[in-house]
Amino acid sequence: MSDNKTIKSALISVFSKDGLAPIVNKLNEQGVTIYSTGGTQKFINDLGINVVPAEDITSYPSILGGRVKTLHPKIFGGILNRQDNAQDVAELVEFEIPQIDCVIVDLYPFEKTVASGASNQDIIEKIDIGGISLIRAAAKNYKDVICVSSVNDYQEFLDLISENNGVTTEENRKHFAAKSFNVSSHYDTAIFNYFNKNHEIASLKFSETKGQVLRYGENPHQKGFFFGDFEAMFDKLHGKELSYNNLLDVDAAVNLMNEFKGDAPTFAILKHNNACGLAQRNTIHQAYVDALAGDPVSAFGGILISNTEIDVATANEIHKLFCEVVIAPSFSNEALEILKGKKNRILLVQKDIELPQTTVRTCLNGALVQFRDNITDSRDMLTTATNNSPSEAELEDLLFASKLCKHTKSNTIVLAKNKQLCASGTGQTSRVDALNQAIHKAQSFNFDLKGAVMASDAFFPFPDCVEIADNAGITAVIQPGGSIKDQLSIDYCNENNLTMVMTGTRHFKH
């Protein structure tokens, strides 16, 4: 028996009617019997095309406010029967069940309803029951039935039946079945995650239907992919395609700059997921100039991000630097034209959307999941551990440095002065090494560390770090505290006129 099937009947029950009319017209032109329900039935009737109501098959009306329309043996028997099985075919005749060759469904928009902030009751009503059941049945029986499971597939299906006069191959039907199970599994994942938003059930379900193949992964010999709705976060205005490493750096940049959302103009330059320059000033132009001064060498090929619109003066300065990506909430028209002067430079406008509240990374033969570090150290969290309290200027610098420290690879030490990153020691196995790295780097770029502050992502087990910082001219320290030897560091600070505040919150970033 040939695996080719000619569509002679179709059941259509969709939420989105966009793009449906050409399909209905083509099916009607090909002499296909169309069955339908509710709003879809009215839509088809309004096109002037005959449609058989599903209730004419079932002898039952739509009930329970539309919750039950297609859930009936005469519908599912028409979809699930095996046409090469004599018993199935005989039962169709016995129970007067029509054969259904094609099922077209577009599910209730559950995710969009959740995202809209709708009430729980409205969300529950957008859990599709009949539609998802039709999809599973039709996709399971792909040997005989073709299933179109989303508005996103309407055009592909229309092209198929137009080119082949309504004939489909088993390969065609299996292809659409795979797409259908992708839709159904994603839909169920979204529903589960809504019900399990407090993670009371220790189960990881992740589904992302938007994906793209990247040029490669971290290195050219590795394949790379991105799964996510990039367009929901950014408008890409210019430049080449983003790479795997670009995306990691963009993620780091966005998370860092979220700490300064709504603050005075702030500019950051990142390299390999860590900030090499950061400054907050009265203008974004000066913020960029001072961020670049933090490490003009590392800035080459970096990722740049601003918390406010980039203007002409800033664009002119940026244009002198080779950089991979520039991110901002907006660009002035003149600034945009300047920055477009480098054809490969990627320009992104960041949209104001909420990021996921959990992070996921592979580990061994499984995954690690955690809630985001959503704590930002603030004044009301601080405890002054020393006899002296920080000045107002020192306090502002301490909180500035703490925000940056939170988004820098552990072990890390951050040195800052006048809301400018002087240097950081990143990813070191020893906190002393991190501090020495930061001091050496700051001095190599001619920063005067007298009056600077130091932030640490974790406690000091010994007083060696505060002693080294003191000798470099640093006058104030912010750290989580919690070491059984905290008092040793506190004593050193008291004896040498340093101030130290403790946050009570560690910010490791591995």
Side-chain angles (χ1 to χ4, degrees), residues 111 174 192 200 266 273 344 426:
E111 288 178 282
K174 191 172 184 179
F192 169 77
E200 296 171 355
T266 307
N273 302 166
N344 286 330
T426 66

mmCIF file of all heavy atoms in Angstrom, residues 111 174 192 200 266 273 344 426:
data_model
loop_
_atom_site.group_PDB
_atom_site.id
_atom_site.type_symbol
_atom_site.label_atom_id
_atom_site.label_comp_id
_atom_site.label_asym_id
_atom_site.label_seq_id
_atom_site.Cartn_x
_atom_site.Cartn_y
_atom_site.Cartn_z
ATOM 1 N N GLU A 111 0.638 30.647 27.609
ATOM 2 C CA GLU A 111 1.803 31.429 28.035
ATOM 3 C C GLU A 111 1.551 32.930 27.927
ATOM 4 O O GLU A 111 1.951 33.702 28.809
ATOM 5 C CB GLU A 111 3.028 31.043 27.206
ATOM 6 C CG GLU A 111 3.584 29.667 27.544
ATOM 7 C CD GLU A 111 4.768 29.315 26.675
ATOM 8 O OE1 GLU A 111 4.570 28.929 25.511
ATOM 9 O OE2 GLU A 111 5.901 29.420 27.174
ATOM 10 N N LYS A 174 4.946 12.580 9.155
ATOM 11 C CA LYS A 174 5.821 12.365 10.313
ATOM 12 C C LYS A 174 6.508 13.667 10.714
ATOM 13 O O LYS A 174 6.690 13.953 11.906
ATOM 14 C CB LYS A 174 6.857 11.285 10.000
ATOM 15 C CG LYS A 174 7.633 10.826 11.223
ATOM 16 C CD LYS A 174 8.513 9.623 10.898
ATOM 17 C CE LYS A 174 9.204 9.110 12.155
ATOM 18 N NZ LYS A 174 10.048 7.920 11.875
ATOM 19 N N PHE A 192 2.924 23.075 33.690
ATOM 20 C CA PHE A 192 3.547 22.543 34.903
ATOM 21 C C PHE A 192 4.336 23.623 35.629
ATOM 22 O O PHE A 192 4.245 23.768 36.853
ATOM 23 C CB PHE A 192 4.465 21.369 34.569
ATOM 24 C CG PHE A 192 5.330 20.964 35.735
ATOM 25 C CD1 PHE A 192 4.792 20.233 36.783
ATOM 26 C CD2 PHE A 192 6.661 21.344 35.798
ATOM 27 C CE1 PHE A 192 5.577 19.880 37.879
ATOM 28 C CE2 PHE A 192 7.451 21.007 36.884
ATOM 29 C CZ PHE A 192 6.903 20.275 37.928
ATOM 30 N N GLU A 200 7.784 23.622 44.560
ATOM 31 C CA GLU A 200 7.472 22.659 45.615
ATOM 32 C C GLU A 200 7.764 21.237 45.154
ATOM 33 O O GLU A 200 8.068 20.361 45.962
ATOM 34 C CB GLU A 200 6.005 22.803 46.024
ATOM 35 C CG GLU A 200 5.702 24.163 46.655
ATOM 36 C CD GLU A 200 4.221 24.386 46.871
ATOM 37 O OE1 GLU A 200 3.430 23.515 46.446
ATOM 38 O OE2 GLU A 200 3.854 25.422 47.450
ATOM 39 N N THR A 266 25.393 55.389 34.011
ATOM 40 C CA THR A 266 26.393 54.378 34.363
ATOM 41 C C THR A 266 26.799 53.622 33.105
ATOM 42 O O THR A 266 25.951 53.251 32.287
ATOM 43 C CB THR A 266 25.832 53.384 35.394
ATOM 44 O OG1 THR A 266 25.310 54.108 36.512
ATOM 45 C CG2 THR A 266 26.894 52.415 35.867
ATOM 46 N N ASN A 273 32.978 37.892 30.602
ATOM 47 C CA ASN A 273 31.942 37.864 31.643
ATOM 48 C C ASN A 273 32.238 38.745 32.855
ATOM 49 O O ASN A 273 31.431 38.802 33.777
ATOM 50 C CB ASN A 273 31.658 36.446 32.143
ATOM 51 C CG ASN A 273 31.223 35.480 31.066
ATOM 52 O OD1 ASN A 273 31.207 34.280 31.275
ATOM 53 N ND2 ASN A 273 30.856 35.969 29.886
ATOM 54 N N ASN A 344 30.602 45.366 11.400
ATOM 55 C CA ASN A 344 30.402 44.169 12.226
ATOM 56 C C ASN A 344 29.995 44.483 13.665
ATOM 57 O O ASN A 344 29.649 43.573 14.413
ATOM 58 C CB ASN A 344 31.670 43.318 12.242
ATOM 59 C CG ASN A 344 31.888 42.587 10.932
ATOM 60 O OD1 ASN A 344 30.934 42.236 10.239
ATOM 61 N ND2 ASN A 344 33.142 42.366 10.569
ATOM 62 N N THR A 426 39.979 38.823 39.690
ATOM 63 C CA THR A 426 38.857 37.939 39.357
ATOM 64 C C THR A 426 39.285 36.484 39.218
ATOM 65 O O THR A 426 40.355 36.182 38.687
ATOM 66 C CB THR A 426 38.213 38.369 38.025
ATOM 67 O OG1 THR A 426 39.146 38.164 36.969
ATOM 68 C CG2 THR A 426 37.822 39.830 38.052
#
